[in-house]
Amino acid sequence: MLDISSRVRVHLDAAVTARHDIRIDMGVCDAVEQGEAAGKPVAMSTPHLPKVAGTGPTVPAPAHTASPLSGIPAAASEPGAPNGDRPPDLTPLQGLAERLARTRTLDEALRELLGAGATLVGARRGMAVLEPADGRGPTATVGLGLAHADLGAIETLPRSTTPHGRLLDGLPGGPLPDPRPSSSEHGAPTGRGAGGAAMPPSGAPGAVATPDIPGDERLDPRHREVAARLGFAASYAVPLTAEGTGRLGAVLWLYDEPAEPDGHRRHLVGLYGRYASEHLARLLELERGRAEVNALTEELLPTRLPHVPGVRLAARRVAGSPGGHWYDALPLPEGALGLAVGSVSGTGPGALAAAGRLRASLRAYAVLEGEDPVAVLSDLELLLRLTEPARSATALFACVEPVRRRIVLAGAGHAPPLVVGDRRTEYVETSVSAPMGMLPCWEAPSVELDVRPGETVLFYTDGLLRRISGSVDRAFALLHAAAASVPRAERADPGAVADHVLRLVLGGSVKDGGRDRRAGAGDAVVLAARFD
C-alpha cells in the first residue's frame, strides 16, 4: 500500500475537480457563463439574430416565455465562438419522440407535435396545418393556446402573407429581400423568409422566422393587424415534409413579444420536425387506407332505405376495424318488407367482399321465398358452405307485414332483436342456433312477433356487443338499459332511437358513418324499424 501524503492527495483531488469543472463549463454551462459575462439574461426565448460585425442583437429578450427546461441546454455558442463545433445534446428529443410515436391518429400526432415543438422553441401558442401537397387529403388545422375564432382570424389572411401559408404553397423566399447583411451558422449568407422574415440557419431547413412583426414594415399590414389583435409579436414556422410523400403541412409557433429561437433550439426542432413528418406520413397512409375501406363498405350497403307504408326505417353504421358487418332492407311481393343484418368472420377487404356477396345472394333468395325466413337462411348457408368453406357468418332475416304489424324471423347464430316501446323493452325470444358454416347442415325454427303501434324493433350486429367490456350478459344488460332509457319524445323517430342507444353504449355522439377509434373496435350496424 502506497504512503501518499495528505498534501499530495489534496492536489490530486483539486486536479480532478478542476477537470470535472472544465467538462461542465464546456458543456451545458458554457452558454450560461458567456451570457452572464456579457450582462445578458439567458432565457429560452432569448433572440440570437445573425450578428453584423461589431453589433449585437436588435431584438430584446422577451420576458413572457417560461424559464429554461431541465434537460434542454441552451445553444453552445453563436457562430464563430469557442466550442461552436461541439456535437449538440440530443437527449431531450428521445422522450418527445417516444411520446409522439405513441399517437395513433393524425389529430393526436398534430397536437403532440405542437406541444413538444413549443417546448423546444420556447413558445406558448401555435397552430399546425395538415394539407398534403398531392391534394388527396385529409386536411386539418389544430391550435395550441388559440381559440377557434383565433384560428379563423389567422386563416382569413392571404396565404402569401403568412410564413406557414408560403410553406404550404411551396413559395421560396420572400417578396422583400433584406438589404442588411447576415450570416448563417456556417458563414454563408441567409435569405429572407415570408414577407421579409429572416431565414434561420441550416439547423431547421426551410423554416421561417419572423422575429419582430410589429416593427417589420415589410410585412403585409393585414398580417400585422391580426397579430396585434391576437397579441403575438413573433413567429417561427417549420415545414412538414416526409421522404417519398412530399409536403404534408406546416407548423407555426407564436411568441407574445419579439423573439426568435437560438441556433441550438432551431436545430432541435428541425430534427424533431423531420421525425414528426415521417410519423405523420405513416399515419396519413393508414388514415387514407381506412377511408378507402370505409368508402368500399358504404358502397356494399344500401344507398337508401325503402319507403313502405306503416313502417319507418333508419340505419346507423359505426366504422371501426374493417369487417364484414352489413344490413339490408328491401320491398317484397304483396306489400311485405324484408329486413336483414349479418356479419362475416374475419376482417379486411376479404371479409368486405364476402359480406357483399352474402347480401346480394340473400336479396335474391328473399325475393323468391321471403315469406319463409328459414328457407332463405338455409339457402344462404348452403351457398356459403359451397363457395367459401373456410368462412363462417351470422345472419338474421325478418319478413315484415306492415299492415298487420307482424314479423316472422329466423336467425343463424345472431343476437336477438330488441323491441322498444312505451310499455315494454324486451328481447325477442329466438331459438339458439349455430352460425352458418359451422355445422354440416344448418336448421332453426322461425319465430313470430306481433308489434304494437309506436314500437321500434332494433336489429344489430354482434360488433355492437363486442364494444362493451365485460361478459356477454353485461353487454346485453347495458344494451337493454340504453334502449329502455330512450326519452318518450324521441321514440317516434327510429333514427333518434338508434342514436340514443349508440350514444350510451359507445359513449359520445355517433352518427351514420361515424368512427369508433378505440383500439380493436370493429364495425357495428343498427337497423331500426318503427311501426305506426
Side-chain angles (χ1 to χ4, degrees), residues 430-500:
T430 58
S431 58
V432 178
S433 61
M436 295 182 291
M438 300 292 290
L439 300 177
C441 182
W442 174 87
E443 186 176 355
S446 61
V447 175
E448 293 186 3
L449 172 67
D450 291 324
V451 185
R452 300 166 186 168
E455 290 185 333
T456 299
V457 181
L458 291 179
F459 303 88
Y460 52 91
T461 60
D462 53 2
L464 182 62
L465 298 174
R466 285 200 293 266
R467 295 168 185 270
I468 305 173
S469 60
S471 64
V472 176
D473 292 338
R474 181 180 182 276
F476 277 114
L478 180 58
L479 180 60
H480 182 277
S485 65
V486 176
R488 184 180 297 272
E490 297 181 2
R491 294 189 177 184
D493 182 3
V497 173
D499 289 337
H500 179 87

Side-chain angles (χ1 to χ4, degrees), residues 5 72-73 76 78 86-87 111 118 208 213 231 294 302 347 371 386 434 456 496 512:
S5 65
I72 302 183
E78 290 294 328
R86 179 174 53 84
R111 295 186 185 280
V208 178
I213 295 177
N294 187 53
T347 58
E371 71 282 355
L386 294 177
T456 299
D512 194 15

